[in-house]
Amino acid sequence: MTEQLSADDWISQGLKALTRSGFTALKADPLAKAMGVSRGSFYWHFADLGAFHTAVLKRWREIAAEEIIAGVEADSDEPLTALLRRTFGARLDLERAVRNWAAFDPAAQAAVRAIDRRRLDYIEALLAKRGLAAAMAQARAQILYWTFLGYALSSPQLPAARLHGLLDEIQRMVSA
């Protein structure tokens, strides 16, 4: 069975468990049971639980920043509009789960800091491309990011029509 499962399979299962049950679910036994395999399969791919956690956090960084940025860059819309739609329109359960994990774990905390910096740098670059001076782009990027974090950590999510109206208003505020 270990040959049938890849490290990516374990990481995907880990992301699901993290989203559904929190970071305490990121253990070999419950993950193996959920996947219908032995715990040995887990250790075939990961030296220990710490290595698995590192891989899960790395994959989250890819999902939470690099895949979104690539999608924005490929989108035909104006990049800031595309970014707002993609980030505020996404399911944010995983975002909340990782940030909760970061409150208890230094490695998760470092991953969150890295993602925050990556996202802020990208937003600043988008605003600078729109002609904002560096200091203004930095300030507005920070405000926009704080707005996103507040939204991401809130629930319940807004109805689509209301969210679109708020995103239009956020874009007007940031662009003014």
Side-chain angles (χ1 to χ4, degrees):
M1 191 56 110
T2 57
E3 294 172 1
Q4 293 178 344
L5 290 176
S6 69
D8 285 341
D9 294 326
W10 283 99
I11 293 166
S12 293
Q13 186 67 29
L15 289 170
K16 288 176 192 171
L18 175 60
T19 301
R20 189 175 47 250
S21 304
F23 67 95
T24 58
L26 295 177
K27 297 178 183 160
D29 285 333
L31 292 170
K33 186 175 282 190
M35 296 172 76
V37 297
S38 73
R39 188 173 65 153
S41 173
F42 177 89
Y43 291 107
W44 176 263
H45 296 289
F46 303 100
D48 56 27
L49 201 53
F52 175 65
H53 288 177
T54 298
V56 168
L57 289 167
K58 180 180 183 223
R59 181 67 182 122
W60 172 69
R61 287 191 311 268
E62 293 165 0
I63 293 167
E66 303 314 317
E67 288 180 10
I68 290 172
I69 291 169
V72 166
E73 297 296 320
D75 202 310
S76 62
D77 283 346
E78 192 277 326
L80 186 60
T81 302
L83 179 64
L84 290 172
R85 264 197 346 265
R86 283 176 184 273
T87 55
F88 282 81
R91 289 193 46 97
L92 297 168
D93 298 334
L94 181 58
E95 181 83 20
R96 286 189 290 276
V98 172
R99 287 182 179 280
N100 183 50
W101 184 11
F104 299 94
D105 181 81
Q109 191 175 69
V112 167
R113 276 195 309 271
I115 205 84
D116 288 347
R117 182 75 263 150
R118 175 68 172 116
R119 289 168 169 174
L120 277 166
D121 289 346
Y122 184 67
I123 298 166
E124 285 178 39
L126 290 180
L127 294 172
K129 284 181 188 175
R130 295 174 130 216
L132 273 77
M136 184 65 70
Q138 184 179 29
R140 290 186 184 180
Q142 186 68 67
I143 292 166
L144 182 57
Y145 193 58
W146 284 337
T147 302
F148 166 73
L149 289 176
Y151 178 76
L153 298 175
S154 300
S155 41
Q157 301 301 319
L158 298 173
R162 176 134 167 80
L163 178 60
H164 290 298
L166 291 173
L167 293 178
D168 290 344
E169 186 59 30
I170 288 170
Q171 188 157 351
R172 280 192 291 279
M173 291 170 56
V174 170
S175 301

